[in-house]
Structures are given as structure tokens and as C-alpha cells.
């Protein structure tokens, strides 16, 4: 019966069976020290003489657990017998047992199948799995229903640009940029509160550390709101739940990445500033007039919020109409919309949506759209839709920022960018 | 402050605010009875005289809660004031407040945006949301990690047929048929146990009540198994958890669909029969020799299992090599693979995978494949991969069968088939 490595210390004085990967080999002639890795940890195994297996081979080891203050964790296994379940070829393209900080992002991604074996790299996805759980857990506790909607659509949510086309039998369809229309359908259907965890696609040509062409969108939509403040309130409570959970469950991983945990209490202090005020703050900080918020501005605003409010996050609301999609609820020349900038990066876009049929119909021409072209979408509003809004968090960006990663691609198991379609 | 409809009875004698959709209107001259629907239920609202709103309009009603044994649920709201938040146009393409059994599947799907408002139709997706939660909940309790992998791949998992192609900048890529290679990568990475909830695509031309061209695949993969029995054991425990949860939380929905709940205890009795024995059983039942298991056979096998074992589900294992993908672990001319047939429909395909590099290399030519063509995949095994296997459950098929729906498309919010790419 296999004993997991984290349970080895509880078996001191006993004979155990341990299975895992050969993580490190140190042959000293009379004795060899071998580190073995499984999903729960790493243990030292001691062999008399040399060993005949290679790094990364998968083994099952039978041996006796003894205390040894010099061994990692204070315990080791004295091997009596070893079965090699799967030998590894000795030409690893990158080292698995070294700090990945010494390896460039391209080497890590080009050799993804091997680099994901590195415990520190893999730990990113342990945290990501927890984020997925905490996101759903919080929303379910607030009576949200999880939905799964099609990613193959006739036209884009935000117009026809930036779409990947799919040959669908004799038709051409597109990969969805967001589940926006479907979220709204389900709000109007009477579910009122829905969330979706699903892939989103952007055919954007730029290849930057901020962008992925395929990412996981954590989408939320809620009916019977007053305005966008209800959504920011909801997102704060959601982020508190996520941050508190990650801090508690993955303290060791945060530490290994050298990142300070976010204080869940501080999330209540995230300032909410208008788009106009944000431009003022950035202009003042940079000593020159800015007319748009760009990546540099996002970093400046985060720094400002950390100094002024003790948390490097800021909600920017009141974006001008022409900067937001047609379905955004207007407020004069502005909109009831917001972004959340966290640690220098926009991780959320959200807002109240237009729910009145007549208002939507009058809005379409201003965006070069027609009622005919959006016939299915218009049905949502033709038959009574409550006031509503929502937001979406990029899973990889949130993961990146919680762990302090340099590049969002590090937070995607198999990232897709301009050049990268494999593995 | 809005009161949810399920909480109306607790407010008898008080004035409440209720928000929702106009579900039914009965005008009797001196008085009108109106049913109002929100995400938690339906309540009767009484108006003096006639009413001026239409079916499906979204309203906020202020009124007094009184007991009335004749009202649905024993309570009603005497309206004092009503705000129409969003009026509905009075040309509903299909009735929202009638039993959907009277409406054909095409009318339901062609008018999906309206038909999803029907409480009975919507209840399918309430159950589906719970299945998603229970699936993840069980696997997490067994130390599985949730992963999200790319759906844009260079080549198909099971060869190049049945793939939708995507124009990806200057390249052509394909929509993934399954996350098979990525699940195996993550098992070999050291996570050992992974699951993924994600879209899967099959460019199959047939348009049947069993098929979707886009579906949600509930994927599981696990290391350090002995053989395929470990996987069937795991799936039984998983299904027990799902079924027990659905029975407890959605007893009323199961009843409204007229379907008998599955007994979680009976899942332990699901028989495991070989592919050869399955053909024998079907041949005997039909009085003629069958050489393949087809949809008719699946119904026969379910009936047989119900008669013999008290549950209409059966695992069929030991499929011939030529009927399974190249990566299936061989067992002579057979394989360590299985299907689960539930209520006459295959809802799972699974099996142990080849983990030995040399065995896999020798297998490729038999399937017309080359090591070069699968260079990324071969890396998983080149560097040591534990014995492992997994399975996938079709979310829509499982939902369909738990509720006794006639057509799998009913269990997809926005189904994609040969003809259907909208809404």
C-alpha cells in the first residue's frame, strides 16, 4: 500500500512503499542520496552504493523510515528495493529540479511538458485550481447558478474585429470573445444571477507579457442592481473570499514566489475613482498630460492607491461611451462601467448593461449596428429584462498578480499567443 | 428592500416589495390574479380591476402579504403599487407559462432565448449547475487538481478526422476533441490526479438526439492505478456523490420531469461485462447475432442490467484494440478500456493509457502514426510517466439521463448541431 510522501514522517520505524519521480541524485560512492517527489512533497531516500535510474524516472521504493535531522524534513527512507515503473531518457531539455527563475520564459514555454514538472512552476496551477474553487464557492453561496454556453458564435460580442474564424461544416462561425450575450440571456431567463468559467478568445496581434489569445474568463452577471456600485461591492466580497482562501491554503507557495499576501481587509479600502480623476492622478504623477489610460497609467494608479489607501488596487469608473461596448449603460457622455486595476494590471472589466429595449434600439446606430444584425440579442430585451450588470475577471491575470509573476503566460498551462500554438 | 418570493410566506401581515416577471394574468373584471416569478418561486398577486402590463414584463410590486388557502402556496400579495421596470412586447413566439412537453424540440431550440424562461426548461440548468459543483467537489475531496487547458491544438487527439479548423493568424489549428494529451501531461507533471471541465468539439455530420457538435466534457485522469478497475471504482463513487446530491437538492425538479431518482446504493451493483459478453447478451435478447454495439445494443444492455442487477447501467470493458484510440493500454487483442452505458446511452468512455515510452513507440505505426507527428506527446513518456488512466463524462448526456430528457440538445443551453449555430 502506497504511502504519500507527506505521511512518511508518521511512519517512522516502519517499512513503507513510496511512489514518485526521481527529483535529484547525489552519488557519494559508498552511499547515494536520492530525492523522490510525489504530489504531496519530496523525501530523501538513501541507497547503499550507486543507483541505476535517471532523473525523472518513475519509481516505487520499498524501505524503512528513519529519523535523520540532516535530511530534508528530518526523515529519510532507507531503500531496500526499487521498482522502476517508467525510466526517463537522460537528455532533459531543461532541469526540473532547479529554481525556474534562472530559466527564461521562452525556454519554460517551449519545453512546457517538462517545465511543468518543476514543483515551483507547477505550484502556480495548484493556486489556480484553488482560485477556480473559491470563485465558484463564493458565487454559489450568493445563489448564483453556474452556466456553460457555446463558444461558437455567429458574430462577435463587441463587433466583428478581433475574432478567430472557425470552419463549421459549410458555415463560418467565430470563437466567442466573451459569454456576454449568453450571460444576459440567462439573467433575463429568470436565473437572475449566473456565473461562467470558460474559454475566451481574442485575435489580437500584439504579443506582450499582458496578453493571451486564449484565456479563461471568470464571468459574473447579476439582475436587479441599482448601478455599477453593486457590482463593485460584489467583486470586493468575491476577491476577499479568494484572497483569504489562497492566503490560508497556499501560504507556502506565496512565500516561495516571494510575494506579500494581499490583506483581505484592505480590499474594502480599494478606492473608486472616475476615469477623469484617474487621468488627473496619472498626469500629476507623470508631470505631463495623459489623455488615455495605458499600461503605464495602470502602474501609476496602483502605486497611487498603495500610497493613499494602503492597497495597490483601484476601481476606475465612468468611462466615456466611445470607450465601452454598445450595451454599456450610459450616464450622459459617460457610462456606468468600471475596470479594476490590481498590482498595475487591469484584471476586470464590468458595468451595468442597457436593459430597456427602446434605449438599446436607439443606441445601436450610434455604434454602426442594426437591430437585424443583432436579432437574437434584441429578443432578450423585447420580452422584459431586469436591470442588470456584471463583470469578468481574467483567471490567468488574477493568478499572475496574486503570485507576482512577470508574464501572464506563466499562469496559463498551455498558452496561445501570436507564435505559440503548441504544445 | 426586495423580498424573494420563497420568503413571502414568512412576511404574512407585512408590506413587502417583490420583483420578478409576469408569469400569468387572469383578469376577472373586478379583480385580477397575476402570477409573478422570480428565481426562487412563483407568487399570486391580486389587483383590483384590470392590469396594464403584459406577460413577461419585469415588475417591482409593493403589497401586503395575506394568507389565502386558495392561492398557490397558501399566500398572496395584495398589490398597492407596481413599477414596470421593463415592459415586454405582447408577441411571445412561444408560451413561457405552459408545460414544455406540448412544444416540439425545434420550437424550443429555435426560440431558445424565450424558451429558457420556462421554469421547467430552466430547471434542467439548475440541476446541471449542481452536477458541475458535485463533480468538482468529489474530485477535490480525493485530492484532484482542476486544470484548464487549451482548446486550440495543432492536431487531433484521435487522428485528424472529425476536427473543426480555426484560422489562427496565418496558421490553421483545430478545436480540441478532448483534453486527453493535456490531462496526461499534467498527470506526468506530478499533479498525479487532475480533472477538467471544458468544451469539446466533434465535427461529426450526423444530427441525432444523442449528439452535440460542442459539448462540455467532465474529464478525469489519475496516476498510479493498477488497471481499469480502479477507474470504474472511482467513477462509481463519483456518480454516487452526484446522484445523492441531485436527489437531495432537486427532488422537486426530478418529480416535475416524472423521472425516478437513481438509488445511489444501486450504483455499487453496476455490472462490469466484457465487450464479448455484451455482444452475447445483446444477440440473445434480440434473437440475432450482433457484431457491434450500436445505440440499440446500449438500450438492450441497460434493460438487461435493470432486470439482472436492479440498475439500468452497465460497464462494458475489454474493447478490441482497433475500436479504441492508439494510446489505450493493450491487453492482447483487447484493451484495458471501458464504456459506461446509463439508461440506454453511453455517458462515459475511459481506460488505462499506455505509459511506457517503448510500448507507445511500437504502437504508433499500427495506427498509421509517427513519432515525429506526435513529438510533443511523446515527450510526456520520454521522461517518465506513471501508470495512469482516466475517463470523461459528457455533461449534457449525464444531465439528460438524470432527468429523463428525450434529446441531449435539451440539456445544452445553446446547442450546436449540423444546422444550428445560433442563438
Amino acid at each position: 500500500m502506497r504511502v504519500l510522501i507527506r505521511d512518511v514522517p508518521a511512519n517512522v520505524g516502519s517499512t513503507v512503499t513510496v511512489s514518485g519521480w526521481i527529483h535529484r541524485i547525489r552519488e557519494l560512492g559508498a552511499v547515494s542520496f536520492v530525492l523522490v517527489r510525489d504530489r504531496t512533497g519530496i523525501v530523501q531516500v538513501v541507497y547503499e552504493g550507486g543507483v541505476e535510474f535517471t532523473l525523472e524516472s518513475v519509481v516505487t521504493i520499498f524501505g524503512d523510515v528513519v529519523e535523520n535531522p540532516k535530511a530534508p524534513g528530518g526523515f529519510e527512507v532507507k531503500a531496500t528495493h526499487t521498482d522502476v515503473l517508467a525510466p526517463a531518457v537522460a537528455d532533459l531539455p531543461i532541469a526540473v529540479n532547479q529554481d525556474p527563475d534562472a530559466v527564461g520564459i521562452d525556454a519554460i514555454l517551449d519545453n512546457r511538458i517538462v517545465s511543468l514538472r518543476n514543483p515551483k512552476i507547477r505550484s502556480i496551477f495548484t493556486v489556480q485550481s484553488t482560485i477556480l474553487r473559491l470563485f465558484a464557492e463564493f458565487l454559489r453561496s450568493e445563489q448564483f447558478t453556474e452556466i456553460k454556453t457555446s463558444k461558437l458564435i455567429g458574430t462577435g460580442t463587441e463587433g466583428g474585429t478581433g475574432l478567430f474564424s472557425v470552419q463549421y461544416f459549410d458555415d463560418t462561425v467565430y470563437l466567442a470573445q466573451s459569454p456576454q450575450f449568453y450571460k444576459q440571456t440567462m439573467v433575463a431567463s429568470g436565473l437572475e444571477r449566473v456565473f461562467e468559467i470558460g474559454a475566451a478568445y481574442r485575435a489580437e496581434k500584439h504579443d506582450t507579457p499582458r496578453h493571451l489569445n486564449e484565456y479563461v474568463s471568470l464571468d459574473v452577471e447579476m439582475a436587479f442592481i441599482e448601478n455599477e456600485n453593486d457590482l463593485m461591492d460584489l467583486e470586493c466580497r468575491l476577491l476577499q473570499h479568494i484572497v483569504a482562501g489562497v492566503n490560508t491554503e497556499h501560504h507556502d507557495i506565496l512565500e516561495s514566489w516571494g510575494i506579500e499576501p494581499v490583506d483581505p481587509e484592505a480590499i474594502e479600502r480599494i478606492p473608486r475613482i472616475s476615469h477623469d480623476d484617474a487621468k488627473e492622478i496619472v498626469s500629476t504623477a507623470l508631470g505631463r498630460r495623459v489623455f488615455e489610460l495605458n499600461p503605464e497609467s495602470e502602474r501609476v494608479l496602483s502605486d497611487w492607491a498603495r500610497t493613499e489607501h494602503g492597497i495597490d488596487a483601484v476601481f476606475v469608473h465612468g468611462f466615456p461611451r466611445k470607450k465601452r461596448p454598445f450595451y454599456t449603460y450610459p450616464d450622459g457622455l459617460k457610462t456606468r462601467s468600471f475596470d479594476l486595476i490590481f498590482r498595475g494590471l487591469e484584471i476586470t472589466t464590468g458595468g451595468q448593461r442597457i436593459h430597456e429595449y427602446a434605449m438599446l434600439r436607439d443606441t445601436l446606430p450610434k455604434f454602426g449596428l442594426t437591430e437585424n444584425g443583432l436579432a437574437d440579442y434584441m429578443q432578450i430585451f423585447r420580452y422584459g429584462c431586469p436591470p442588470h450588470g456584471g463583470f469578468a475577471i481574467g483567471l490567468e491575470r488574477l493568478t499572475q498578480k496574486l503570485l507576482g509573476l512577470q508574464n501572464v503566460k506563466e499562469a496559463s498551462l498551455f498558452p496561445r499567443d501570436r507564435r505559440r500554438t503548441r504544445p
Side-chain angles (χ1 to χ4, degrees), chain A residues 14 52 60 74 112 117 124 126 149 185 207 240 251 273 292:
Chain A
S14 304
E52 303 217 326
T60 290
R112 198 59 165 159
R117 294 179 177 224
I124 298 168
T126 302
T149 68
T185 300
D207 185 358
Q240 283 182 316
H251 180 74
I273 60 175
E292 304 234 28

Side-chain angles (χ1 to χ4, degrees), chain A residues 87-256:
Chain A
V89 177
D91 65 352
L92 283 168
I94 58 171
V96 170
N97 57 16
Q98 287 174 13
D99 192 324
D101 291 355
V103 187
I105 178 86
D106 279 327
I108 286 175
L109 297 181
D110 290 345
N111 299 289
R112 198 59 165 159
I113 284 170
V114 176
S115 67
L116 285 165
R117 294 179 177 224
N118 179 283
K120 189 170 170 186
I121 291 178
R122 216 177 55 226
S123 74
I124 298 168
F125 302 98
T126 302
V127 173
Q128 192 164 81
S129 173
T130 300
I131 293 172
L132 287 165
R133 192 197 86 226
L134 294 164
F135 174 78
E137 191 173 87
F138 173 80
L139 291 168
R140 288 180 184 280
S141 78
E142 301 264 331
Q143 300 167 44
F144 282 74
T145 301
E146 183 167 5
I147 59 174
K148 292 292 179 187
T149 68
S150 178
K151 303 306 161 202
L152 301 177
I153 53 163
T155 51
T157 319
E158 337 223 336
T161 58
L163 293 169
F164 290 116
S165 66
V166 179
Q167 192 61 38
Y168 190 83
F169 303 114
D170 302 327
D171 269 355
T172 298
V173 298
Y174 301 92
L175 293 178
Q177 289 177 314
S178 94
Q180 187 57 35
F181 291 2
Y182 295 134
K183 285 197 298 181
Q184 293 185 264
T185 300
M186 297 320 295
V187 160
S189 81
L191 285 182
E192 295 187 21
R193 301 173 168 215
V194 298
F195 70 94
E196 177 162 8
I197 300 170
Y201 298 89
R202 304 278 164 113
E204 292 167 350
K205 286 187 177 171
H206 41 254
D207 185 358
T208 81
R210 302 161 55 92
H211 290 93
L212 287 166
N213 293 105
E214 179 186 39
Y215 67 98
V216 176
S217 184
L218 304 175
D219 260 281
V220 177
E221 199 82 12
M222 177 165 74
F224 297 110
I225 60 169
E226 279 294 316
N227 55 46
E228 72 277 27
N229 278 306
D230 290 345
L231 302 168
M232 290 186 267
D233 292 347
L234 180 74
E235 183 168 12
C236 282
R237 289 186 294 124
L238 169 60
L239 288 176
Q240 283 182 316
H241 185 76
I242 291 174
V243 161
V246 167
N247 290 353
T248 308
E249 296 169 42
H250 301 303
H251 180 74
D252 52 335
I253 296 176
L254 295 177
E255 201 167 76
S256 79

Side-chain angles (χ1 to χ4, degrees), chain A residues 260-418:
Chain A
E260 205 185 327
V262 179
D263 175 8
E265 306 261 309
I267 288 173
E268 284 160 25
R269 298 198 302 268
I270 297 177
R272 299 178 187 188
I273 60 175
S274 74
H275 187 252
D276 284 340
D277 287 348
K279 285 190 295 186
E280 278 300 322
I281 290 166
V282 175
S283 298
T284 304
L286 294 178
R288 58 182 159 80
R289 191 98 222 112
V290 302
F291 301 97
E292 304 234 28
L293 297 182
N294 60 20
E296 182 188 30
S297 315
E298 294 180 0
R299 289 188 291 271
V300 169
L301 287 168
S302 278
D303 289 345
W304 167 85
R306 192 179 55 236
T307 307
E308 296 292 323
H309 300 274
I311 177 153
D312 40 4
V314 53
F315 283 109
V316 179
H317 59 81
F319 284 81
R321 284 196 85 171
K322 63 180 191 302
K323 289 202 177 291
R324 300 303 255 203
F326 72 90
Y327 51 75
T328 313
Y329 205 95
D331 185 7
L333 292 172
K334 310 289 184 183
T335 55
R336 296 190 184 170
S337 62
F338 64 92
D339 278 1
L340 174 60
I341 298 165
F342 173 50
R343 291 181 168 169
L345 184 69
E346 176 244 297
I347 61 161
T348 293
T349 294
Q352 184 172 348
R353 330 295 187 183
I354 296 174
H355 67 280
E356 294 105 327
Y357 182 56
M359 184 193 284
L360 193 59
R361 207 177 41 199
D362 296 347
T363 298
L364 295 184
K366 294 177 191 152
F367 287 81
L369 299 166
T370 65
E371 218 175 330
N372 260 352
L374 287 164
D376 286 326
Y377 185 61
M378 294 307 288
Q379 277 225 327
I380 304 173
F381 310 97
R382 192 173 169 82
Y383 300 115
C385 179
H388 69 284
F391 56 85
I393 304 174
L395 173 65
E396 294 84 355
R397 285 187 171 194
L398 179 60
T399 309
Q400 177 197 353
K401 286 295 157 180
L402 287 179
L403 289 173
L405 310 177
Q406 292 301 307
N407 191 318
V408 70
K409 293 173 195 172
E410 295 176 69
S412 172
L413 278 175
F414 303 99
R416 294 291 175 258
D417 64 25
R418 190 82 171 80

Side-chain angles (χ1 to χ4, degrees), chain A residues 24-35 44-53 66 68 70-71 76-80:
Chain A
R24 198 181 291 281
I25 300 171
R26 201 152 51 98
E27 293 183 299
L28 303 177
V31 67
S32 296
F33 295 104
V34 173
L35 295 184
Q44 178 164 292
V45 181
V46 187
Y47 287 86
E48 311 221 337
V51 293
E52 303 217 326
F53 40 68
V66 295
N68 176 0
K70 287 187 208 156
E76 65 189 14
V77 176
K78 295 208 174 295
T80 52

